[in-house]
Amino acid sequence: MEVIDDVEITIEAGLHGDFRGRVKPGGKGRRQVTLLERGDWDAAMAEVGRDIPWYERRANLLVDGFDLPQIPGTRLRIGADVVLEVTRHTDPCDRMDALAPGLFAALTPDWRGGACARVLMGGRIAVGDEIRIEEP
C-alpha cells in the first residue's frame, strides 16, 4: 500500500496505479474505487482495542467529516471533476482478523467496512478536496 496526496482517476482504470480499478471486458466496474470513513475505522479500532493505520484496510480513499451514503446509486463528487457512483458496501476480508482478532466482525455492521464505487467522471483529486452528494 502507498499513501499519496493526489491521484488521477479515470473511467477505464479507477485510481492511477491501482490495477483493481481497471474495468474488465464485459465488466461493470462496480468496485473501481473503495472509500472508508475515518469515523468508522476509528470505531472499529476502539472495538478491537488496537490502533492500526487506515490504509491496512486496503481502501483507496479515506474520507473524514462526511457520512458515506449507504444507498447504491448515490453519486459523490470529489473535488471539481470526479464523480463516483456508490455500488455496494465493501465486504471485509479474512485478512482483517489477521491484523486484529475481531476486526472482521467490527467492520461488518452498518457499512463500516466502507463503500465500493464506479467512476462516472474522471479527473484529479487531492487530500483536502471536498466530497459531496451530486444530484443526477
Side-chain angles (χ1 to χ4, degrees):
M1 292 298 296
E2 179 183 11
V3 177
I4 56 178
D5 291 333
D6 62 287
V7 68
E8 185 74 23
I9 298 179
T10 65
I11 292 172
E12 301 78 24
L15 275 76
H16 176 75
D18 182 10
F19 73 91
R20 291 175 302 243
R22 185 164 306 283
V23 178
K24 297 175 180 132
K28 297 179 180 174
R30 287 182 272 200
R31 197 179 171 106
Q32 284 186 287
V33 178
T34 55
L35 302 99
L36 178 67
E37 287 181 50
R38 178 179 299 279
D40 285 344
W41 182 252
D42 291 347
M45 289 297 95
E47 196 169 306
V48 297
R50 298 286 304 275
D51 186 20
I52 301 168
W54 72 271
Y55 51 81
E56 293 292 338
R57 172 70 181 101
R58 296 184 169 263
N60 295 126
L61 304 175
L62 179 69
V63 297
D64 195 5
F66 181 80
D67 187 21
L68 287 171
Q70 299 176 0
I71 302 168
T74 303
R75 294 179 179 194
L76 305 173
R77 181 171 291 271
I78 304 175
D81 300 321
V82 173
V83 177
L84 306 178
E85 178 184 44
V86 174
T87 57
R88 60 188 300 270
H89 70 280
T90 307
D91 297 320
C93 65
D94 293 336
R95 182 180 179 282
M96 296 300 100
D97 277 344
L99 290 173
L103 183 54
F104 179 95
L107 290 171
T108 302
D110 199 29
W111 288 44
R112 253 196 208 169
C116 295
R118 76 169 44 94
V119 180
L120 299 181
M121 290 178 54
R124 189 158 207 80
I125 62 170
V127 170
D129 280 352
E130 180 185 10
I131 182 171
R132 61 197 176 281
I133 295 177
E134 173 88 351
E135 297 301 322

